[in-house]
Amino acid sequence: MLPIANLHLKDLYETTVEFFTLRSPAFSFSAFSSDDSDSDHDDIPLTPRDLFPVPDPVDRLQKECAHLRVKLHAAERAHCHSACSCRSFGASAAASTLYTMRREYDATKSELQRSQAELAKWEERCKMLEKTLKETRDLLRTQEVEIETLKKDRDRLIVDRHSRERPPSVMLDRRRSQDIVRHRSNSSQSLLSQHVRLSADWSDLRDVETASQTDGSRRRADSNVVVDNVSTMSEEERAQAKSTETFLTKTDLWSGAQVIQAVQDLNSEILQFAASAVELCTFTKQHPAQAKVLQTQNEVSSRLGPTLTRILSTRDHSQDPMLVQMALQGCISYCLSRALSSFCIGYQSKANITLTQIYTCMFQSEPQPTSSRWRALAHKYIHELHPELNDYAINEMTETIFRWSLDVFLICGSTNPQSNPSSREVFRSRFGAQVNRISKSACRLARITREEIMSTSFEIVGTDSGRPFDAQEMMDAFEDYGTSKGAVLCTTELGLRCSTRTVSAELATASEANVERRLLLRPKVVLESAVDMIDQR
């Protein structure tokens, strides 16, 4: 504690000296002068400032104030810096929070839009399913009506069969009654002879009775033989009627509406392939035709007709390939209609011609169930004898569609695909599955119309090129864009026709007047006027 006390005493001392110095300026410290000082200074009085330097308190206070002011400014700057940093941190935190909230809002909004899109999609699917359910119910109702009709036909056939079986039993009853009458008459005659010959000898009477008994037993034996023969005949007729009923059944596994839908689905697949193929291809302006192109033009002319072939080979399709797409549809439709017109797709051509002639003659001469059943059995057992025939027919049809399509592209000036093998293989690999699906649908439709329908005969129809337009038998593909006029260029969608034999077996004659033909689905065609409509676009 002593140094601290000395320090305070020193400060007190200096302050006291300073006090007296400042308050008494006349005060002299001459008594405290040194003896060794010079004589020159004896006359000069000494002041407290001469004894030791006294600092100026004003300067000191000013310095201390300045120092305190600097410290205050530094403290204020530090405080301001901390406040600014806090404010900047708060602002950055608020901005970060706002950015996070905005991101969450955008994510929620996008999720809401996605949910609304999915909701609209599911609503559309629900509507489609409701429509399909309604159509299915209508189809089931139609099938129930057909089943009821078939049941009535079956009951009527059973009644007819029983009525045909009744005459032998009636004949048997008649024969039995005739035998009884004859036996009774013979008995009455024997009794009369007995009464007339009452006086005859007993031996003669016994002989007569013995003869009459022998005659009666012979007649009974004859009647038993007749009954056995008649029963045997009735059993044979019953077995024959049963086999005939099985053979001449009119049960259909497919309704007319289902066959129409199958043809429409096939037309849709042809349209999708043609549109996809034309969209992928590129075309240039036509140049002078080479020898290969001329040969291809002749082949296409035999399928689509000379008029459409000339239009395809002379027009510029680089801007609007609409005609190329329709020609492609017509080429595939012609291929399928020709294949479906044969008796069995993929079978030998000569055998197909013979089977078609046999069926045509049988259809015009025999009842409808007879010709239909023969057609179904013949088609079924051809495929059982040749199990690979279906796959062969699908592959051949697919190859034909590709070859004919590439011929159409060649005469139209296509640069992709080109005529070289590599480009054609790329085209085949790109559309192989789609064309194969078309071929499978066509073969399946052929099996349905040949084997699974007995009440009528379905035919896939198209319209020949160059034929005049008939609104009753065909439909113009551009009927909504103008007047239908001119000859037919090609068929873009196949049609469906059914033919039914309308007379019974007793009145059957080989005549077309006994066949009822109805066009259930009109084929869609492209007319010559469509070229002008396409140019106006």
Side-chain angles (χ1 to χ4, degrees), residues 80-152:
C80 292
H81 179 70
S82 62
C84 292
S85 62
C86 290
R87 285 195 300 270
S88 62
F89 176 74
S92 61
S96 176
T97 304
L98 182 61
Y99 177 71
T100 304
M101 292 175 64
R102 180 164 295 177
R103 286 186 60 185
E104 291 179 356
Y105 172 74
D106 294 338
T108 306
K109 188 176 180 180
S110 61
E111 185 177 357
L112 178 61
Q113 292 177 354
R114 185 166 57 252
S115 300
Q116 290 176 352
E118 291 180 356
L119 179 62
K121 186 187 299 182
W122 283 110
E123 287 179 353
E124 187 69 23
R125 183 173 179 81
C126 182
K127 291 180 181 179
M128 187 181 301
L129 290 175
E130 288 178 354
K131 183 179 179 181
T132 306
L133 180 60
K134 183 179 179 181
E135 293 177 354
T136 306
R137 286 177 178 174
D138 296 339
L139 182 60
L140 289 175
R141 198 174 294 111
T142 305
Q143 289 182 351
E144 288 177 357
V145 173
E146 293 180 356
I147 290 172
E148 292 296 330
T149 306
L150 292 173
K151 287 182 179 179
K152 293 180 180 179

Coordinates of all heavy atoms in Angstrom, one line a residue, residues 80-152:
C80 N -21.8 1.3 -33.9 CA -22.5 1.5 -35.2 C -22.2 0.3 -36.1 O -23.1 -0.3 -36.8 CB -22.1 2.8 -35.9 SG -22.7 4.2 -35.0
H81 N -21.0 -0.2 -36.1 CA -20.6 -1.3 -36.9 C -21.4 -2.6 -36.5 O -21.9 -3.3 -37.3 CB -19.1 -1.6 -36.8 CG -18.6 -2.8 -37.6 ND1 -18.6 -2.8 -39.0 CD2 -18.2 -4.0 -37.2 CE1 -18.2 -3.9 -39.4 NE2 -17.9 -4.7 -38.4
S82 N -21.4 -2.8 -35.1 CA -22.2 -3.9 -34.6 C -23.7 -3.8 -35.0 O -24.3 -4.8 -35.3 CB -22.0 -4.1 -33.1 OG -22.5 -3.0 -32.4
A83 N -24.2 -2.6 -34.8 CA -25.6 -2.4 -35.2 C -25.9 -2.6 -36.6 O -26.8 -3.3 -37.0 CB -26.1 -1.0 -34.7
C84 N -24.9 -2.1 -37.5 CA -25.1 -2.3 -38.9 C -25.0 -3.8 -39.3 O -25.7 -4.3 -40.1 CB -24.0 -1.5 -39.7 SG -24.3 0.3 -39.5
S85 N -24.0 -4.5 -38.6 CA -23.9 -5.9 -38.9 C -25.1 -6.6 -38.5 O -25.6 -7.5 -39.1 CB -22.7 -6.5 -38.2 OG -22.8 -6.3 -36.8
C86 N -25.7 -6.2 -37.3 CA -27.0 -6.9 -36.9 C -28.1 -6.6 -37.8 O -28.9 -7.5 -38.2 CB -27.3 -6.4 -35.5 SG -26.2 -7.0 -34.2
R87 N -28.1 -5.3 -38.3 CA -29.2 -5.0 -39.3 C -29.0 -5.7 -40.6 O -29.9 -6.2 -41.2 CB -29.2 -3.5 -39.5 CG -29.9 -2.7 -38.4 CD -30.2 -1.3 -38.8 NE -29.0 -0.5 -39.3 CZ -28.3 0.2 -38.4 NH1 -28.5 0.3 -37.2 NH2 -27.2 0.9 -38.9
S88 N -27.7 -5.8 -41.1 CA -27.5 -6.5 -42.3 C -27.8 -8.0 -42.1 O -28.3 -8.7 -43.0 CB -26.0 -6.3 -42.8 OG -25.1 -6.8 -41.8
F89 N -27.4 -8.5 -41.0 CA -27.7 -10.0 -40.7 C -29.2 -10.2 -40.7 O -29.7 -11.2 -41.2 CB -27.1 -10.4 -39.4 CG -27.4 -11.8 -39.0 CD1 -26.8 -12.9 -39.7 CD2 -28.3 -12.1 -38.0 CE1 -27.1 -14.2 -39.3 CE2 -28.6 -13.4 -37.7 CZ -28.0 -14.4 -38.3
G90 N -29.9 -9.3 -40.0 CA -31.4 -9.4 -40.0 C -32.0 -9.3 -41.4 O -32.9 -10.0 -41.7
A91 N -31.5 -8.3 -42.2 CA -32.0 -8.2 -43.6 C -31.7 -9.4 -44.4 O -32.6 -9.9 -45.1 CB -31.4 -6.9 -44.2
S92 N -30.5 -9.9 -44.3 CA -30.1 -11.1 -45.0 C -31.0 -12.3 -44.6 O -31.4 -13.1 -45.4 CB -28.6 -11.4 -44.9 OG -28.3 -11.7 -43.5
A93 N -31.2 -12.4 -43.3 CA -32.0 -13.5 -42.8 C -33.5 -13.4 -43.3 O -34.1 -14.4 -43.7 CB -32.0 -13.5 -41.2
A94 N -34.0 -12.1 -43.3 CA -35.3 -11.9 -43.8 C -35.4 -12.2 -45.3 O -36.3 -12.9 -45.8 CB -35.8 -10.5 -43.6
A95 N -34.3 -11.8 -46.1 CA -34.3 -12.1 -47.5 C -34.3 -13.6 -47.7 O -34.9 -14.2 -48.6 CB -33.1 -11.4 -48.2
S96 N -33.4 -14.3 -46.9 CA -33.3 -15.8 -47.1 C -34.7 -16.4 -46.8 O -35.1 -17.4 -47.5 CB -32.2 -16.3 -46.1 OG -32.2 -17.7 -46.2
T97 N -35.3 -16.0 -45.7 CA -36.6 -16.5 -45.4 C -37.6 -16.3 -46.5 O -38.4 -17.2 -46.9 CB -37.2 -15.9 -44.1 OG1 -36.2 -16.1 -43.1 CG2 -38.5 -16.5 -43.7
L98 N -37.6 -15.1 -47.1 CA -38.5 -14.7 -48.2 C -38.2 -15.6 -49.4 O -39.2 -16.1 -50.1 CB -38.4 -13.3 -48.5 CG -39.3 -12.7 -49.6 CD1 -40.8 -12.9 -49.2 CD2 -39.0 -11.3 -50.0
Y99 N -36.9 -15.8 -49.7 CA -36.6 -16.7 -50.8 C -37.1 -18.1 -50.6 O -37.6 -18.7 -51.5 CB -35.1 -16.6 -51.0 CG -34.6 -17.5 -52.2 CD1 -34.8 -17.2 -53.5 CD2 -33.9 -18.7 -51.9 CE1 -34.4 -18.0 -54.5 CE2 -33.4 -19.5 -52.9 CZ -33.7 -19.1 -54.2 OH -33.2 -20.0 -55.2
T100 N -36.9 -18.6 -49.4 CA -37.3 -20.0 -49.1 C -38.8 -20.1 -49.2 O -39.3 -21.1 -49.8 CB -36.9 -20.3 -47.7 OG1 -35.5 -20.2 -47.6 CG2 -37.3 -21.8 -47.3
M101 N -39.5 -19.1 -48.7 CA -41.0 -19.1 -48.8 C -41.4 -19.1 -50.3 O -42.4 -19.7 -50.7 CB -41.6 -17.9 -48.0 CG -41.4 -18.1 -46.5 SD -42.0 -16.6 -45.6 CE -43.8 -16.7 -46.0
R102 N -40.7 -18.2 -51.1 CA -41.1 -18.2 -52.5 C -40.8 -19.5 -53.2 O -41.6 -19.9 -54.0 CB -40.3 -17.0 -53.2 CG -40.6 -16.9 -54.6 CD -40.2 -15.5 -55.2 NE -40.9 -14.4 -54.5 CZ -40.6 -13.1 -54.7 NH1 -39.7 -12.8 -55.6 NH2 -41.3 -12.2 -54.1
R103 N -39.7 -20.1 -52.9 CA -39.5 -21.4 -53.5 C -40.5 -22.4 -53.1 O -41.0 -23.2 -53.9 CB -38.1 -21.9 -53.0 CG -36.9 -21.2 -53.7 CD -35.6 -21.8 -53.4 NE -35.6 -23.2 -53.8 CZ -34.6 -24.0 -53.5 NH1 -33.5 -23.6 -52.8 NH2 -34.6 -25.3 -53.9
E104 N -40.9 -22.4 -51.8 CA -41.9 -23.3 -51.4 C -43.3 -23.0 -52.1 O -44.0 -23.9 -52.4 CB -42.1 -23.2 -49.8 CG -40.9 -23.8 -49.1 CD -41.1 -23.6 -47.6 OE1 -42.1 -23.0 -47.2 OE2 -40.2 -24.1 -46.8
Y105 N -43.5 -21.7 -52.2 CA -44.8 -21.4 -52.9 C -44.8 -21.8 -54.4 O -45.8 -22.4 -54.9 CB -44.9 -19.9 -52.9 CG -46.1 -19.3 -53.7 CD1 -47.4 -19.5 -53.3 CD2 -45.8 -18.7 -54.9 CE1 -48.4 -19.0 -54.1 CE2 -46.9 -18.2 -55.7 CZ -48.2 -18.4 -55.3 OH -49.2 -17.9 -56.0
D106 N -43.6 -21.6 -55.1 CA -43.5 -22.1 -56.5 C -43.6 -23.6 -56.5 O -44.3 -24.1 -57.4 CB -42.2 -21.6 -57.1 CG -42.1 -20.1 -57.2 OD1 -43.2 -19.5 -57.2 OD2 -41.0 -19.6 -57.3
A107 N -43.0 -24.3 -55.6 CA -43.1 -25.8 -55.6 C -44.5 -26.2 -55.4 O -45.0 -27.1 -56.0 CB -42.1 -26.4 -54.6
T108 N -45.2 -25.6 -54.4 CA -46.6 -25.9 -54.1 C -47.5 -25.6 -55.3 O -48.4 -26.4 -55.7 CB -47.1 -25.2 -52.9 OG1 -46.2 -25.4 -51.8 CG2 -48.5 -25.6 -52.5
K109 N -47.2 -24.5 -56.0 CA -48.0 -24.1 -57.2 C -47.8 -25.1 -58.3 O -48.8 -25.5 -58.9 CB -47.6 -22.7 -57.6 CG -48.5 -22.1 -58.7 CD -48.1 -20.7 -59.0 CE -49.0 -20.1 -60.1 NZ -48.6 -18.7 -60.4
S110 N -46.5 -25.5 -58.6 CA -46.3 -26.5 -59.6 C -46.9 -27.8 -59.3 O -47.5 -28.5 -60.1 CB -44.8 -26.6 -59.8 OG -44.2 -27.1 -58.6
E111 N -46.8 -28.2 -58.0 CA -47.4 -29.5 -57.6 C -49.0 -29.4 -57.8 O -49.6 -30.4 -58.2 CB -47.1 -29.8 -56.2 CG -47.6 -31.1 -55.7 CD -47.1 -31.4 -54.2 OE1 -46.4 -30.6 -53.7 OE2 -47.5 -32.5 -53.7
L112 N -49.5 -28.2 -57.5 CA -51.0 -28.1 -57.7 C -51.4 -28.2 -59.1 O -52.3 -28.8 -59.5 CB -51.4 -26.7 -57.1 CG -52.9 -26.4 -57.3 CD1 -53.8 -27.4 -56.5 CD2 -53.2 -25.0 -56.7
Q113 N -50.6 -27.5 -60.0 CA -50.8 -27.7 -61.4 C -50.7 -29.1 -61.9 O -51.5 -29.6 -62.7 CB -49.9 -26.7 -62.2 CG -50.1 -25.3 -62.0 CD -49.1 -24.4 -62.7 OE1 -48.1 -24.9 -63.3 NE2 -49.3 -23.1 -62.6
R114 N -49.6 -29.8 -61.4 CA -49.5 -31.2 -61.8 C -50.6 -32.0 -61.3 O -51.1 -32.9 -62.0 CB -48.2 -31.7 -61.3 CG -47.8 -33.1 -61.7 CD -46.3 -33.4 -61.4 NE -46.0 -33.3 -60.0 CZ -45.3 -32.3 -59.5 NH1 -44.8 -31.4 -60.3 NH2 -45.0 -32.2 -58.2
S115 N -51.1 -31.7 -60.1 CA -52.2 -32.5 -59.6 C -53.5 -32.2 -60.4 O -54.3 -33.1 -60.7 CB -52.5 -32.1 -58.1 OG -51.3 -32.4 -57.3
Q116 N -53.7 -30.9 -60.8 CA -54.8 -30.6 -61.6 C -54.8 -31.3 -63.0 O -55.8 -31.8 -63.5 CB -54.9 -29.1 -61.8 CG -55.3 -28.3 -60.5 CD -55.3 -26.8 -60.7 OE1 -54.9 -26.3 -61.8 NE2 -55.8 -26.1 -59.8
A117 N -53.5 -31.4 -63.5 CA -53.4 -32.1 -64.8 C -53.7 -33.6 -64.7 O -54.4 -34.2 -65.5 CB -52.0 -31.9 -65.4
E118 N -53.2 -34.2 -63.6 CA -53.5 -35.6 -63.4 C -55.0 -35.8 -63.1 O -55.5 -36.8 -63.5 CB -52.7 -36.1 -62.2 CG -51.1 -36.2 -62.4 CD -50.4 -36.7 -61.2 OE1 -51.1 -36.8 -60.2 OE2 -49.2 -36.8 -61.3
L119 N -55.6 -34.8 -62.4 CA -57.0 -35.0 -62.1 C -57.8 -34.9 -63.4 O -58.7 -35.7 -63.7 CB -57.5 -33.8 -61.2 CG -59.0 -33.8 -60.9 CD1 -59.4 -35.1 -60.1 CD2 -59.3 -32.6 -60.0
A120 N -57.4 -34.0 -64.3 CA -58.1 -33.9 -65.6 C -57.9 -35.2 -66.4 O -58.8 -35.7 -67.1 CB -57.6 -32.7 -66.4
K121 N -56.6 -35.7 -66.4 CA -56.4 -37.0 -67.1 C -57.2 -38.1 -66.5 O -57.8 -38.9 -67.3 CB -54.9 -37.3 -66.9 CG -54.4 -38.5 -67.8 CD -53.0 -38.9 -67.5 CE -52.1 -37.7 -67.8 NZ -50.7 -38.1 -67.5
W122 N -57.3 -38.2 -65.2 CA -58.1 -39.3 -64.6 C -59.6 -39.1 -64.9 O -60.3 -40.1 -65.1 CB -57.9 -39.3 -63.1 CG -56.6 -40.0 -62.7 CD1 -55.5 -39.4 -62.2 CD2 -56.2 -41.4 -62.9 NE1 -54.4 -40.3 -62.0 CE2 -54.9 -41.5 -62.4 CE3 -56.9 -42.5 -63.4 CZ2 -54.2 -42.7 -62.4 CZ3 -56.2 -43.7 -63.4 CH2 -54.9 -43.8 -62.9
E123 N -60.0 -37.8 -64.9 CA -61.4 -37.6 -65.3 C -61.7 -38.0 -66.7 O -62.7 -38.7 -67.0 CB -61.8 -36.1 -65.1 CG -61.9 -35.6 -63.7 CD -62.2 -34.2 -63.6 OE1 -62.1 -33.5 -64.6 OE2 -62.4 -33.7 -62.4
E124 N -60.8 -37.7 -67.6 CA -60.9 -38.2 -69.0 C -60.9 -39.7 -69.1 O -61.7 -40.3 -69.8 CB -59.8 -37.6 -69.9 CG -59.9 -37.8 -71.4 CD -61.1 -37.0 -72.0 OE1 -61.5 -36.0 -71.4 OE2 -61.6 -37.4 -73.0
R125 N -60.0 -40.3 -68.4 CA -60.0 -41.8 -68.4 C -61.3 -42.4 -67.8 O -61.8 -43.4 -68.2 CB -58.8 -42.3 -67.6 CG -58.6 -43.8 -67.6 CD -57.3 -44.2 -66.9 NE -57.2 -45.6 -66.9 CZ -56.7 -46.4 -67.9 NH1 -56.4 -45.8 -69.0 NH2 -56.6 -47.7 -67.8
C126 N -61.8 -41.7 -66.7 CA -63.1 -42.2 -66.1 C -64.2 -42.1 -67.1 O -65.0 -43.0 -67.2 CB -63.3 -41.3 -64.9 SG -64.8 -41.8 -64.0
K127 N -64.2 -40.9 -67.9 CA -65.3 -40.8 -68.9 C -65.2 -41.9 -70.0 O -66.1 -42.5 -70.4 CB -65.2 -39.4 -69.5 CG -65.6 -38.3 -68.6 CD -65.5 -36.9 -69.3 CE -65.8 -35.8 -68.4 NZ -65.7 -34.5 -69.0
M128 N -63.9 -42.2 -70.4 CA -63.7 -43.2 -71.4 C -64.1 -44.6 -70.8 O -64.8 -45.3 -71.6 CB -62.2 -43.2 -71.7 CG -61.9 -44.1 -72.9 SD -60.1 -44.1 -73.3 CE -59.9 -42.4 -73.6
L129 N -63.8 -44.8 -69.6 CA -64.2 -46.1 -69.0 C -65.7 -46.2 -68.9 O -66.3 -47.3 -69.1 CB -63.6 -46.3 -67.6 CG -62.0 -46.5 -67.6 CD1 -61.5 -46.6 -66.2 CD2 -61.7 -47.8 -68.4
E130 N -66.4 -45.1 -68.5 CA -67.8 -45.1 -68.5 C -68.4 -45.4 -69.8 O -69.4 -46.1 -70.0 CB -68.3 -43.8 -67.9 CG -68.0 -43.6 -66.4 CD -68.5 -42.2 -65.9 OE1 -68.9 -41.4 -66.7 OE2 -68.4 -42.0 -64.7
K131 N -67.8 -44.7 -70.9 CA -68.3 -44.9 -72.2 C -68.1 -46.4 -72.6 O -69.0 -47.0 -73.2 CB -67.6 -44.0 -73.2 CG -68.1 -44.1 -74.6 CD -67.3 -43.1 -75.5 CE -67.7 -43.3 -77.0 NZ -67.0 -42.3 -77.8
T132 N -66.9 -46.9 -72.3 CA -66.7 -48.4 -72.6 C -67.6 -49.3 -71.9 O -68.1 -50.3 -72.4 CB -65.2 -48.7 -72.3 OG1 -64.4 -47.8 -72.9 CG2 -64.9 -50.1 -72.7
L133 N -67.9 -48.9 -70.6 CA -68.8 -49.7 -69.8 C -70.2 -49.7 -70.4 O -70.9 -50.7 -70.5 CB -68.8 -49.2 -68.4 CG -69.8 -50.0 -67.4 CD1 -69.4 -51.4 -67.3 CD2 -69.8 -49.3 -66.1
K134 N -70.6 -48.5 -70.9 CA -71.9 -48.4 -71.5 C -72.0 -49.2 -72.8 O -73.0 -49.9 -73.1 CB -72.2 -46.9 -71.8 CG -73.6 -46.7 -72.4 CD -73.9 -45.2 -72.6 CE -75.2 -45.0 -73.2 NZ -75.5 -43.5 -73.5
E135 N -70.9 -49.1 -73.6 CA -70.9 -49.9 -74.9 C -70.9 -51.4 -74.6 O -71.6 -52.2 -75.2 CB -69.7 -49.5 -75.7 CG -69.8 -48.1 -76.2 CD -68.5 -47.7 -77.0 OE1 -67.5 -48.6 -77.0 OE2 -68.4 -46.6 -77.6
T136 N -70.2 -51.8 -73.5 CA -70.2 -53.2 -73.1 C -71.5 -53.7 -72.7 O -72.0 -54.8 -73.0 CB -69.1 -53.4 -72.0 OG1 -67.9 -52.9 -72.5 CG2 -69.0 -54.9 -71.7
R137 N -72.2 -52.8 -71.9 CA -73.6 -53.2 -71.5 C -74.5 -53.3 -72.7 O -75.3 -54.3 -72.7 CB -74.1 -52.1 -70.5 CG -73.4 -52.2 -69.1 CD -74.0 -51.1 -68.2 NE -73.4 -51.2 -66.9 CZ -73.6 -50.3 -65.9 NH1 -74.3 -49.2 -66.2 NH2 -73.0 -50.4 -64.7
D138 N -74.4 -52.4 -73.6 CA -75.2 -52.5 -74.8 C -74.9 -53.8 -75.6 O -75.8 -54.4 -76.1 CB -75.0 -51.3 -75.7 CG -75.5 -50.0 -75.0 OD1 -76.3 -50.1 -74.1 OD2 -75.0 -48.9 -75.4
L139 N -73.6 -54.1 -75.7 CA -73.2 -55.3 -76.4 C -73.8 -56.5 -75.7 O -74.3 -57.5 -76.3 CB -71.7 -55.3 -76.5 CG -71.1 -56.5 -77.3 CD1 -71.6 -56.5 -78.7 CD2 -69.6 -56.5 -77.2
L140 N -73.7 -56.5 -74.3 CA -74.2 -57.7 -73.6 C -75.7 -57.8 -73.8 O -76.3 -58.9 -73.9 CB -73.9 -57.5 -72.1 CG -72.4 -57.7 -71.7 CD1 -72.2 -57.4 -70.3 CD2 -72.0 -59.1 -72.0
R141 N -76.4 -56.6 -73.8 CA -77.8 -56.6 -74.0 C -78.2 -57.2 -75.4 O -79.1 -58.0 -75.6 CB -78.4 -55.2 -73.9 CG -79.9 -55.2 -73.6 CD -80.4 -53.8 -73.3 NE -79.8 -53.3 -72.1 CZ -78.9 -52.3 -72.0 NH1 -78.4 -51.8 -73.1 NH2 -78.5 -51.9 -70.8
T142 N -77.4 -56.8 -76.4 CA -77.6 -57.3 -77.8 C -77.3 -58.8 -77.8 O -78.1 -59.6 -78.4 CB -76.7 -56.6 -78.7 OG1 -76.9 -55.2 -78.6 CG2 -76.9 -57.0 -80.2
Q143 N -76.3 -59.2 -77.1 CA -76.0 -60.7 -77.1 C -77.1 -61.5 -76.4 O -77.4 -62.6 -76.8 CB -74.6 -60.9 -76.4 CG -73.4 -60.5 -77.3 CD -72.1 -60.7 -76.6 OE1 -72.1 -61.1 -75.5 NE2 -71.0 -60.5 -77.3
E144 N -77.6 -60.9 -75.3 CA -78.7 -61.6 -74.6 C -79.9 -61.7 -75.6 O -80.6 -62.8 -75.6 CB -79.1 -60.8 -73.4 CG -78.1 -60.9 -72.3 CD -78.4 -60.0 -71.1 OE1 -79.5 -59.3 -71.2 OE2 -77.7 -60.0 -70.1
V145 N -80.2 -60.7 -76.3 CA -81.3 -60.8 -77.3 C -81.0 -61.9 -78.3 O -81.9 -62.7 -78.7 CB -81.5 -59.4 -78.0 CG1 -82.6 -59.5 -79.1 CG2 -82.0 -58.4 -76.9
E146 N -79.8 -61.9 -78.8 CA -79.4 -62.9 -79.8 C -79.5 -64.3 -79.2 O -79.9 -65.3 -79.8 CB -78.0 -62.7 -80.3 CG -77.9 -61.4 -81.2 CD -76.5 -61.2 -81.6 OE1 -75.6 -62.0 -81.2 OE2 -76.2 -60.2 -82.4
I147 N -79.1 -64.4 -77.9 CA -79.2 -65.7 -77.2 C -80.6 -66.2 -77.1 O -81.0 -67.3 -77.3 CB -78.5 -65.7 -75.9 CG1 -77.0 -65.5 -76.0 CG2 -78.8 -66.9 -75.0 CD1 -76.2 -65.3 -74.7
E148 N -81.5 -65.2 -76.7 CA -82.9 -65.5 -76.7 C -83.5 -66.0 -78.0 O -84.3 -66.9 -78.1 CB -83.7 -64.3 -76.1 CG -83.4 -64.0 -74.7 CD -83.9 -65.1 -73.7 OE1 -84.8 -65.8 -74.0 OE2 -83.2 -65.2 -72.7
T149 N -83.1 -65.3 -79.1 CA -83.5 -65.7 -80.4 C -83.0 -67.1 -80.8 O -83.7 -67.9 -81.3 CB -83.0 -64.7 -81.4 OG1 -83.4 -63.3 -81.0 CG2 -83.5 -65.0 -82.8
L150 N -81.7 -67.3 -80.4 CA -81.2 -68.7 -80.7 C -81.9 -69.7 -79.9 O -82.1 -70.9 -80.4 CB -79.7 -68.7 -80.4 CG -78.8 -67.9 -81.3 CD1 -77.4 -67.8 -80.8 CD2 -78.8 -68.4 -82.7
K151 N -82.3 -69.4 -78.7 CA -83.0 -70.4 -77.9 C -84.4 -70.7 -78.5 O -84.8 -71.9 -78.6 CB -83.2 -69.9 -76.4 CG -81.9 -69.9 -75.6 CD -82.2 -69.4 -74.2 CE -81.0 -69.5 -73.3 NZ -81.2 -69.0 -72.0
K152 N -85.0 -69.6 -79.0 CA -86.3 -69.9 -79.7 C -86.1 -70.7 -80.9 O -86.9 -71.6 -81.2 CB -87.0 -68.5 -80.0 CG -87.4 -67.7 -78.8 CD -88.0 -66.4 -79.2 CE -88.4 -65.6 -78.0 NZ -89.0 -64.3 -78.4

